[in-house]
């Protein structure tokens, strides 16, 4: 854990876990992160000093158009990633999770690279195994579960 993460992680986690942030965060953070990601050639996002971050491009389940969503992620040793459909702890699953359920072909923008991936929803023992590792990356996920009253969808993104 870096000095920055030790010093700034706890206050950012408190803010991110707050109910008021669930109302404001979705309107502010994704557009800001998409802009920073685009302007930096995929190298910069607001939260990446605290958690590994990516931009996931899915195909809209209704529109068929590309949809870019900034997300915290858990990079895996095999080159893939695990992502959580937290939606800032709101009641409904985020749209990008429905997009992946309809069409699991997507693209990850991570550290300046664009990587084609296939998504798979994790369930049961496989989901249970990865959950503690996700909490190490972003402990706020447990607060999101409590507030939302739903099981957060967890996906493994495997490079093609």
């Amino acid at each position: 854990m870096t000095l920055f993460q030790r010093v700034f992680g706890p206050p950012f986690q408190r803010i991110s876990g707050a109910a008021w942030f669930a109302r404001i965060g979705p309107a502010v953070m994704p557009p800001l992160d998409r802009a920073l990601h685009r302007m930096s050639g995929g190298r910069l996002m607001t939260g990446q000093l605290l958690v590994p971050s990516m931009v996931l491009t899915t195909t809209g389940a209704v529109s068929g158009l590309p949809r870019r969503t900034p997300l915290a992620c858990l990079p895996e040793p095999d080159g893939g990633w695990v992502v959580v459909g937290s939606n800032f702890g709101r009641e409904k699953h985020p749209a990008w999770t429905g997009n992946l359920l309809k069409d699991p072909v997507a693209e990850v923008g991570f550290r300046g690279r664009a990587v084609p991936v296939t998504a798979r929803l994790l369930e049961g023992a496989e989901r249970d195994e990865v959950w503690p590792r996700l909490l190490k990356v972003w402990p706020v996920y447990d607060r999101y579960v409590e507030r939302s009253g739903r099981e957060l969808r967890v996906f493994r993104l495997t490079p093609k």
Side-chain angles (χ1 to χ4, degrees):
M1 181 179 284
T2 68
L3 176 62
F4 187 88
Q5 289 169 324
R6 282 194 305 270
V7 172
F8 293 103
F12 278 101
Q13 289 171 17
R14 278 191 299 280
I15 291 168
S16 297
W20 64 265
F21 191 76
R23 292 186 303 276
I24 296 169
V28 175
M29 299 310 295
L32 178 60
D33 274 335
R34 279 191 293 270
L36 285 171
H37 191 261
R38 186 179 59 254
M39 291 185 308
S40 69
R43 290 177 183 82
L44 182 62
M45 293 172 63
T46 57
Q48 75 186 35
L49 291 173
L50 295 173
V51 297
S53 302
M54 67 161 61
V55 170
L56 177 66
T57 303
T58 61
T59 301
V62 176
S63 71
L65 299 173
R67 300 295 184 200
R68 289 171 189 80
T69 307
L71 299 170
C73 63
L74 172 64
E76 296 200 291
D78 67 358
W81 298 268
V82 177
V83 291
V84 178
S86 67
N87 204 15
F88 295 85
R90 295 186 295 176
E91 288 180 10
K92 295 183 180 178
H93 293 289
W96 65 265
T97 67
N99 295 346
L100 288 180
L101 291 173
K102 183 170 181 184
D103 182 359
V105 175
E107 182 179 90
V108 168
F110 186 74
R111 296 183 180 160
R113 298 179 307 135
V115 181
V117 296
T118 302
R120 187 169 51 82
L121 180 65
L122 300 183
E123 298 178 297
E126 193 174 25
R127 185 187 186 285
D128 293 344
E129 181 277 323
V130 77
W131 190 252
R133 293 190 290 135
L134 288 163
L135 292 178
K136 285 182 182 176
V137 170
W138 195 237
V140 180
Y141 287 138
D142 270 345
R143 267 188 266 157
Y144 290 167
V145 169
E146 289 173 20
R147 187 169 60 234
S148 69
R150 62 181 170 84
E151 181 175 273
L152 306 182
R153 291 175 177 162
V154 177
F155 288 86
R156 176 163 281 125
L157 308 174
T158 305
K160 289 184 177 185

